[in-house]
Amino acid sequence: MNVQRFTAATSREALAKARQAFGEGTLILSNRPTANGVEVVATAEDSLATLESAVSAAGSRSGNTPQRQPQAQPSYREVASKVEEDAEQLAMSTLSFQDYVRERMLRRRAEAAQVQKPAPTAMPAPMPVAAEPVQAERPRPTLTQRIAMDIEAQPQRPSTQRKAQATPQAPAVNKIVMDELHAMKELIEDRFNTLTWLGQAKQNPIQSNMMLKMIRSGYSPTLSRAILERLPEEMDASESVRWVMDVLERNLRTDTDLPSLHEEGGVFALIGATGVGKTTTAAKLAGLCARTYGPGSVGLITLDTYRIGAHEQLRAYGKMLGVVAHLAHDKAALQDLLGLLSNKKMVLIDTTGIAPRDPRKRELLELLDLPEIKRLLVLNAGGHGDTLDEAVGCFKGTSSQQVILSKTDEAVKLGPAIDACIRHQLLLRGTTTGQRVPEDWEPAVAAKLVRSSMRSTGVSAYDPKTSDLGFFFSQPANTTAHKGRMDA
């Protein structure tokens, strides 16, 4: 029997040497780590088959050689359980290769059992190899070692450690695969829904024209599609326009059923991005309250210590109204001023303009984190839809968010602002239409705002055409188009 040793720095190199010497029929007898690397003992499968036949013939000719007692053939279930144990000892890196190893080992054992059934007594006891003293005490190789040629060998580790490392990988891999499958399923469903809707829109020109009208008015495709999917089919063009406007009015929350801000009273902090008109809006609210209840009913506080002339601007407005404007540098000073002005009908806090991604935003929100302060988010009515969404998301509070739309006279399209208010379920408390204090303040009337937003603004380079409808649905639509329930 031709048995050779191969030593290399790694198991892979040692296996490569063994395969180079014996070819594809290489049989690994043993491998063990050494001081210089890894030692592999290998032979050819043909040599082992020749040795087994020779030993069988010698055993049958000799009468003194003790014969091995016949044993019952293992059942299929026992063979399968042994295969499972061998597969666990292998600690494969992937589940698919473990399945491949199990099937191969089970097939080989079944074939060996079928060959051994006609002559069960012909199986001799394992004999040590006399020609190789080093291998005299080694047992015959198991079937696990026979498939070593199909495995990329790695440095040997304790089986318990290998099991501990292999076991957590399987749930993680399965979770990643399942997440990808769910994402793919949602994408496919959304694509089919989009194609179905576009097909219906082409068949229904009224629905298609209404979609173009809403997008040209500045409304998002998400909200437009959510509304038009509920459009009754029997309506004509004029009726569909009135129906869409009614839906927008019902879903735009305003303070029509509530007292106006200056009549409600309390402590209000005006927050928002830079340049949206917080200081002018505070002066308008202060003027409304002073005109109704007198100058002594209003208190003005500014926290804007960054912008040059911010305190002087609010102080100038205060002089016009006969109200003193105070400056607070920190939270302690703010609490002292609130205690000093606690007898006022309305206290307005003008804050520093902070961009939504500015790191100082957290400091400002922590400064206003007092139970008696109500936040009023000021949004520029002429802002882009994405800009408004980012501002709403960054300044969002735990309670229902109240907003004021400023600079409505400068907005070419009111659709993006109304769209953001509907999708985020904001409570609109009023609008500002100019720089005059306090004349350019208007209460929030949903019907008036929706009608203004749906008016045609003429030809624009940003207006889509009928053939462009498909591009508005090329991306997955957000299934949560609005935070609350759409009232259609």
Side-chain angles (χ1 to χ4, degrees), residues 68-74 82 116-117 119-126:
R68 184 176 180 180
Q69 295 297 329
Q71 297 181 357
Q73 292 299 324
K82 291 181 180 179
Q116 295 171 1
K117 279 182 180 180
T121 58
M123 290 296 297

Side-chain angles (χ1 to χ4, degrees), residues 305-317:
T305 58
Y306 296 97
R307 186 164 56 92
I308 298 175
H311 183 211
E312 287 74 10
Q313 181 183 2
L314 189 64
R315 182 178 294 175
Y317 281 127

Side-chain angles (χ1 to χ4, degrees), residues 260 289 424:
S260 59
C289 186
H424 295 280

Side-chain angles (χ1 to χ4, degrees), residues 213 217 219 245 249 408 411-415 418 442 445-457:
K213 184 174 181 61
S217 300
Y219 291 94
M245 293 176 64
E249 292 175 14
T408 56
V412 178
K413 296 180 179 180
L414 288 176
I418 298 177
E442 292 184 359
V445 180
K448 180 180 179 181
L449 292 172
V450 171
R451 285 197 302 269
S452 299
S453 68
M454 296 295 287
R455 289 174 186 164
S456 176
T457 57

